Amino acid sequence: MFGANVVGKWVIVIGAVGTLCHGAPVSPGQGGADVSKQAISADEGPALKDLTIRIVQDNYRSADRLEAAWGFAAHLIGPQENILFDTGSDGALLLGNMGELDIDPNRIETVVLSHNHADHTGGLVSLLKQNASMTICGLESFPTRFQRAVRGYGARFVAVSRPQPICPNVCSAGQMGTRIREQALIVRTERGPVVLTGCAHPGVVRMIEKVRALHEEEILLVLGGFHLGWAQAAEIQQIIRSLKNLGVRYVAPTHCSGDKARALFRQHFGAHYLEVGVGKTISLADLK
Ligand SMILES: [Zn+2]
Ligand SMILES: [Zn+2]
């Protein structure tokens, strides 16, 4: 379904109603009867020269002055829009850590919610109370009352189902999974795509396979929860092999990845394993 033969461009499939975040740079594409299955090139401009990711909430800790708690949130600097990926478990913790990291809640333009679990959405209401002019990119499967509550604050809710652009060089891989639905965020950089996962409930390998179907280049970095806390070593080693075969160059497993998985990833990726936790800042320059 996805055009794997398209080089150096996003290949995006959009719905007929075009539920795009923030006036994304897309065009309706070329003819064809079924618009919903039309592959279009959404992003032909130059890729990002630099990208900085700061971990705002995590149960692992990289900086003493920040509060660590179960959950995940990360802030992106580099894309055209000011983006927060997930909001952690708690508003006071999120806003406190954002303050420590000098991230102004009023300047956040887009919040991407990986999935509807409280350790990823728990800080949203506090953020909305500070800044109601954000666009919230959740999933089409989020409960109606959730979507209505977001709109009730005056914010825009975008219900992602298929892969779609969020702003230039930033794209959702679309809703994945069956039991627990989730989206991964893809940021296109000069050095290859960077992928953020919340918990990777659909399976981190499956999610990266989907990213590779959308983008031909090798993946520079996968960062986030890999959901391997209860996985056996043999399963984790198979996942490591699969990710390497899929062209993943750097990994930063955190949140629900588990200590055992982090140790195995460290062992197998060596210098290409990044140890991250709350307070950690990663820039492209760190990925030699
Ligand atoms: Zn989860
Ligand atoms: Zn989680």
Side-chain angles (χ1 to χ4, degrees):
M1 173 160 127
F2 302 114
N5 56 339
V6 177
V7 180
K9 297 174 180 176
W10 296 112
V11 180
I12 303 298
V13 178
I14 59 161
V17 269
T19 49
L20 299 176
C21 301
H22 272 292
V26 294
S27 61
Q30 310 292 313
D34 186 353
V35 179
S36 69
K37 287 190 179 160
Q38 228 166 34
I40 60 160
S41 166
D43 207 340
E44 296 178 55
L48 292 180
K49 279 192 185 341
D50 204 2
L51 170 70
T52 301
I53 302 169
R54 291 186 292 180
I55 312 298
V56 182
Q57 185 179 336
D58 200 341
N59 32 288
Y60 290 100
R61 184 193 291 278
S62 291
D64 285 342
R65 68 187 207 283
L66 296 168
E67 202 175 331
W70 186 264
F72 189 68
H75 180 243
L76 307 185
I77 304 169
Q80 193 171 299
E81 287 184 12
N82 194 325
I83 297 173
L84 187 69
F85 179 75
D86 284 340
T87 62
S89 59
D90 176 81
L93 188 153
L94 178 77
L95 294 175
N97 282 354
M98 285 174 78
E100 285 288 342
L101 292 167
D102 219 11
I103 302 167
D104 183 352
N106 292 305
R107 297 187 68 174
I108 301 288
E109 293 169 281
T110 301
V111 175
V112 178
L113 297 173
S114 62
H115 65 301
N116 184 23
H117 277 172
D119 56 328
H120 298 257
T121 60
L124 181 64
V125 166
S126 298
L127 197 56
L128 283 168
K129 284 178 179 167
Q130 290 249 327
N131 174 5
S133 61
M134 301 181 295
T135 292
I136 312 302
C137 293
L139 295 172
E140 165 265 320
S141 58
F142 278 22
T144 309
R145 67 177 181 283
F146 187 111
Q147 303 188 25
R148 207 182 294 136
V150 167
R151 293 186 180 112
Y153 282 97
R156 186 166 167 241
F157 186 88
V158 174
V160 172
S161 55
R162 296 182 175 87
Q164 67 177 60
I166 285 169
C167 70
N169 289 318
V170 182
C171 171
S172 165
Q175 180 170 261
M176 292 189 69
T178 49
R179 203 171 59 82
I180 302 170
R181 308 290 181 93
E182 185 167 338
Q183 63 181 330
L185 191 69
I186 313 168
V187 186
R188 179 174 166 254
T189 81
E190 268 186 357
R191 308 231 349 250
V194 170
V195 181
L196 275 80
T197 60
C199 282
H201 289 293
V204 66
V205 172
R206 236 177 255 149
M207 293 180 94
I208 297 306
E209 282 170 348
K210 183 157 185 199
V211 172
R212 285 309 305 265
L214 295 166
H215 207 288
E216 268 207 336
E217 284 176 81
E218 288 198 335
I219 291 164
L220 179 61
L221 166 68
V222 184
L223 180 152
F226 289 9
H227 206 64
L228 297 170
W230 295 269
Q232 299 295 312
E235 186 191 339
I236 296 167
Q237 276 158 344
Q238 182 54 50
I239 288 166
I240 289 169
R241 277 193 292 276
S242 299
L243 291 180
K244 286 190 165 188
N245 288 338
L246 283 163
V248 173
R249 295 185 51 221
Y250 287 84
V251 286
T254 189
H255 177 41
C256 55
S257 300
D259 294 341
K260 192 195 298 167
R262 278 169 50 117
L264 285 167
F265 271 97
R266 186 188 300 116
Q267 186 187 322
H268 289 277
F269 273 82
H272 285 209
Y273 166 86
L274 307 175
E275 182 115 351
V276 303
V278 64
K280 181 77 177 178
T281 298
I282 294 167
S283 297
L284 289 195
D286 300 327
L287 315 175
K288 303 275 186 260

